[in-house]
Amino acid sequence: MVAKHLRGRDITDERVLAAMERVPREVFVPDDLRRRAYADAALPIGSGQTISQPYMVARICEELGLDGDERVLDVGTGSGYQAAVLAELGAEVHSIERIPELAEQARRNLLAAGAHTVTVHVGDGSRGLPEHAPFDAIAVAAAAPELPQGLYDQLTQGGRLVVPIGARSDQRLEVIVRRTEGAAVLRSVPCRFVPLLGEGGFEA
Ligand code: SAM
């Protein structure tokens, strides 16, 4: 997966590639889909949701530019896979999921994968996680109609937010930095994610 779908495309950050090599994706997919765990595809995980495509997980991690000492917020825990990869790259990871059953399954998956520095919360992640803010980096794995202001406000100065923004059907993955003069968009690439539902997202 790493050689073909990540290094073979445009993922170049060696820390990200090594993290993706270390995290066993098969732990995060349902038993009957394990043979497809290393395909570059999103796969169903129940409750109408999906585990993100490995390329998108790598792309988001690379855009966050983590050094290893950051506090990170992961919005849309899903299976917990992205959170596990972030835990390999940052110091402390908080992950938030709105569907309690998925959050519970993700906790089990993370335990099985040995990702002990991730705390999974249940709630509306489009509002961020004020009690644990500020964050040096925020990864959002669901699409918002516009920049979720609550998330931006919970970034440290110089902190990065990676979030798909656009319509329910297709979006652009925006890389946003918090600067004293305001939000700066570093990059924006086409993508397709499930909707972020809640106060800072689409109507549920
Ligand atoms: N990154 C995850 C992984 O690696 O398995 C997959 C994320 S999945 C594409 C998007 C997730 O965002 C879904 O589990 C969905 O329930 C969740 N979600 C949608 N709106 C949310 C919100 N407001 N707060 C928290 N989670 C939300």
Side-chain angles (χ1 to χ4, degrees):
M1 177 187 86
V2 169
K4 188 172 165 191
H5 302 305
L6 307 183
R7 206 185 281 280
R9 288 179 72 183
D10 56 355
I11 304 297
T12 56
D13 184 329
E14 289 299 332
R15 285 192 78 233
V16 172
L17 292 163
M20 299 281 295
E21 251 164 18
R22 282 195 296 272
V23 177
R25 193 170 185 252
E26 76 268 11
V27 168
F28 296 87
V29 303
D31 287 350
D32 58 332
L33 292 174
R34 287 212 165 148
R35 72 196 155 75
R36 296 186 60 205
Y38 295 99
D40 190 32
L43 298 169
I45 54 170
S47 305
Q49 301 301 325
T50 54
I51 177 172
S52 304
Q53 175 196 5
Y55 175 78
M56 271 303 161
V57 172
R59 172 92 271 139
I60 289 173
C61 289
E62 187 163 275
E63 296 293 4
L64 289 175
L66 301 171
D67 290 324
D69 56 356
E70 295 89 352
R71 181 185 298 170
V72 183
L73 176 64
D74 171 53
V75 178
T77 313
S79 68
Y81 178 64
Q82 170 103 57
V85 177
L86 289 168
E88 293 282 328
L89 296 165
E92 179 186 339
V93 178
H94 291 273
S95 185
I96 180 163
E97 170 59 52
R98 66 183 284 274
I99 301 175
E101 295 76 17
L102 287 183
E104 197 43 53
Q105 181 61 52
R107 286 189 189 108
R108 287 195 288 273
N109 295 344
L110 287 159
L111 203 62
H116 301 298
T117 56
V118 180
T119 307
V120 177
H121 306 260
V122 175
D124 178 5
S126 72
R127 300 173 59 247
L129 202 55
E131 60 274 36
H132 293 282
F135 298 98
D136 303 298
I138 302 179
V140 187
E146 56 194 30
L147 171 64
Q149 192 61 40
L151 292 181
Y152 180 78
D153 291 345
Q154 288 172 32
L155 281 177
T156 54
Q157 284 297 334
R160 284 193 183 197
L161 165 62
V162 180
V163 55
I165 296 181
R168 275 183 185 254
S169 53
D170 63 325
Q171 312 93 28
R172 296 188 70 84
L173 188 69
E174 303 219 332
V175 183
I176 294 160
V177 184
R178 181 171 182 164
R179 299 234 166 99
T180 36
E181 61 273 24
V185 179
L186 289 192
R187 255 179 303 288
S188 164
V189 294
C191 65
R192 199 166 181 186
F193 279 84
V194 297
L196 181 73
L197 302 176
E199 193 176 293
F202 290 94
E203 238 175 73

